Amino acid sequence: MTIDLHCFGESGNAYKVALALNLAGLDWRPVFVDFFKGETRSDAWRAEVNPMGEVPVLRDGELTLTQSGVMLDYIAETSGKLSGERHEILRWLFWDNHKYSTAIGMTRFLMNFLPEDKRPQPVIDFQLGRLRAAHAVLNAHLQGRDWVVGRDVTIADLSLGGYLFYPEPFGFDRADWPEIDRWLSNIQSLPGWKHPYDLMPRAYAA
């Protein structure tokens, strides 16, 4: 049975899951969600798809999952791929969700998807400072490592790296973080890797 991933190309959290599905070799298809026109905030979406009002949503037969970390765990468990030392993987997934992807997602949204006259520069500057500290943590951890956990790619890599492949500015330059840059190149070299805008339909045209 084909897995449906409700998503849109600009969503970093959706990209983590889409990339995991692709790398795991699972049969899946993207189902476009018109996020920027309010689809996830509609009564119908909350009643029929996700009461949290968020993307992504994964549907595999009768099973519906929300939250990207849960979906990544499910993909690793059911496919037998992208897995490793579970507690260490979860440690990095939780750090990513709390300290990293959340900050990147908000900063990228404020810097790119709000009208210029509504972009709160003090908030952006604060977020950029937090992100510099988080980048430093990840960069230091990757010294002498090809992957975040263990000797092979896991869902921890896909979760932490998901937003870092997007072209829109959010205060991140790979050249400033050599260990992260090397690690991202490792991910890009994996069979089945695709850029987010090649893997999922976009809300905004290029």
Side-chain angles (χ1 to χ4, degrees):
M1 183 175 294
T2 300
I3 295 171
D4 285 340
L5 181 66
H6 297 260
C7 60
F8 62 101
E10 288 81 355
S11 169
N13 285 322
Y15 175 57
K16 300 172 187 183
V17 181
L19 184 58
L21 289 165
N22 230 45
L23 295 180
L26 297 178
D27 183 21
W28 74 283
R29 62 189 174 197
V31 179
F32 178 70
V33 178
D34 204 346
F35 175 85
F36 291 106
K37 292 187 178 178
E39 184 175 353
T40 62
R41 297 185 293 278
S42 69
D43 291 340
W45 176 271
R46 291 178 184 271
E48 300 168 13
V49 184
N50 184 2
M52 294 178 177
E54 296 176 337
V55 163
V57 175
L58 183 150
R59 282 182 163 166
D60 187 4
E62 297 299 314
L63 177 68
T64 297
L65 296 176
T66 66
Q67 301 301 312
S68 62
V70 174
M71 297 177 213
L72 290 172
D73 186 59
Y74 175 74
I75 292 165
E77 180 182 28
T78 56
S79 70
K81 300 176 182 178
L82 306 171
S83 59
E85 204 289 295
R86 182 175 173 79
H87 292 126
E88 186 66 6
I89 288 173
L90 289 177
R91 184 171 79 96
W92 282 102
L93 286 183
F94 293 158
W95 183 82
D96 175 53
N97 290 342
H98 180 58
K99 292 283 190 179
Y100 204 49
S101 283
T102 300
I104 294 174
M106 178 184 292
T107 306
R108 177 169 162 262
F109 180 82
L110 295 177
M111 291 178 66
N112 297 278
F113 300 116
L114 282 182
E116 287 193 31
D117 62 341
K118 293 185 178 180
R119 296 175 185 174
Q121 196 59 48
V123 176
I124 292 171
D125 292 340
F126 174 77
Q127 288 292 104
L128 290 173
R130 292 188 67 198
L131 279 173
R132 282 191 292 272
H135 294 324
V137 169
L138 181 58
N139 196 72
H141 176 74
L142 287 168
Q143 290 180 6
R145 301 172 185 265
D146 288 332
W147 307 104
V148 172
V149 178
R151 298 183 177 181
D152 205 350
V153 60
T154 71
I155 56 174
D157 299 285
L158 307 187
S159 186
L160 287 157
Y163 272 99
L164 302 182
F165 292 108
Y166 280 93
E168 299 86 8
F170 54 90
F172 174 74
D173 187 334
R174 286 174 61 161
D176 294 335
W177 306 100
E179 302 299 336
I180 294 176
D181 178 53
R182 177 180 54 80
W183 165 69
L184 291 175
S185 294
N186 290 343
I187 296 174
Q188 287 176 281
S189 71
L190 294 168
W193 181 88
K194 290 185 178 181
H195 188 276
Y197 293 145
D198 295 326
L199 206 53
M200 302 177 293
R202 299 181 63 168
Y204 294 121

